[in-house]
Amino acid sequence: PSETDAVAGRLPEDAETELNALALRIVARIVFAVLVEARGEIDPDVVASDVPGYIARVVDFSPIDLLPLPERLLDWLNGVDRDPQVSRVRAAAGRLAASRADGAPRSDMITLLEGIGPVRDNIGGLIPAALDTTVHGLSWALNTLAVRPEWQARLAEEAQAAGPSPALEQLPLARRVVQEVLRLYAPAPLLARSAKFDQVFAG
């Protein structure tokens, strides 16, 4: 709740708010408090503002990507490394990785990935992955509730009754609402995969 309050508390009253941008700022604060313990190393709002451009740039496909070359060389040829938003997000990932050299205990997602690839790359991959689909899901949830005030009221009542640090078991209505929003507006409706080798099914 404190991360949401930190963003919502600064919104102007009686003014329009772009839903995706609001959701992005809220989710960024949660990501850097829970999944990647930032500990004041970065400004979540700054990273949040760069992430949409970063994602659009790194997923952009060009014919150069068909060349059998290392990813870093492909990025250089495509100009990805020269994009300011990409540079800033990667720099933030580098600062967060460097800050972990103090050996202080952490209980975040990056700690669970220790020993699996470079820490900087793990952070750089988790930032857009955690923000993108979560933001779309949250935006649709907020939009869905905005046009259904009676459900908004029921969720608020459930949250208030559960207290400031509720367990998921105390929020059965919220869980059902989230599941229904994900069913209606799936943030990742398609996952594409390619077979690495030939396979035979049912003869």
Side-chain angles (χ1 to χ4, degrees):
S2 61
E3 304 301 338
T4 305
D5 292 343
V7 174
R10 290 186 290 176
L11 292 176
E13 292 186 17
D14 301 321
E16 289 187 5
T17 300
E18 207 282 310
L19 204 53
N20 245 30
L22 172 66
L24 185 56
R25 290 174 58 205
I26 292 171
V27 173
R29 287 175 173 272
I30 294 169
V31 165
F32 294 121
V34 179
L35 297 182
V36 184
E37 289 184 31
R39 300 187 178 181
E41 290 293 327
I42 59 168
D43 183 341
D45 288 342
V46 172
V47 177
S49 66
D50 281 331
V51 163
Y54 171 86
I55 292 172
R57 193 67 179 88
V58 298
V59 302
D60 189 33
F61 181 80
S62 81
I64 293 174
D65 292 309
L66 296 172
L67 298 173
L69 297 171
E71 186 176 347
R72 289 198 182 279
L73 181 54
L74 291 173
D75 281 354
W76 181 80
L77 291 171
N78 281 320
V80 173
D81 292 335
R82 296 182 290 281
D83 184 285
Q85 291 178 308
V86 171
S87 297
R88 286 193 294 268
V89 172
R90 287 181 174 169
R95 285 197 304 277
L96 288 170
S99 73
R100 302 174 78 87
D102 61 7
R106 290 173 170 82
S107 57
D108 60 2
M109 179 73 77
I110 300 304
T111 302
L112 297 176
L113 295 173
E114 278 181 5
I116 306 174
V119 174
R120 180 181 180 274
D121 290 352
N122 288 341
I123 295 172
L126 184 62
I127 289 173
L131 290 176
D132 191 43
T133 51
T134 310
V135 166
H136 290 303
L138 177 58
S139 294
W140 276 115
L142 293 173
N143 180 71
T144 301
L145 291 171
V147 297
R148 292 171 176 81
E150 70 283 3
W151 279 92
Q152 207 177 128
R154 290 177 65 183
L155 282 181
E157 187 178 315
E158 180 183 73
Q160 288 164 357
S165 301
L168 283 177
E169 296 75 31
Q170 295 174 275
L171 303 170
L173 186 64
R175 179 188 285 270
R176 292 200 300 272
V177 167
V178 168
Q179 289 173 334
E180 181 66 359
V181 169
L182 291 175
R183 184 186 71 80
L184 292 169
Y185 312 107
L190 173 67
L191 291 175
R193 296 288 185 267
S194 59
K196 296 181 72 171
F197 49 85
D198 290 342
Q199 184 60 276
V200 177
F201 291 103

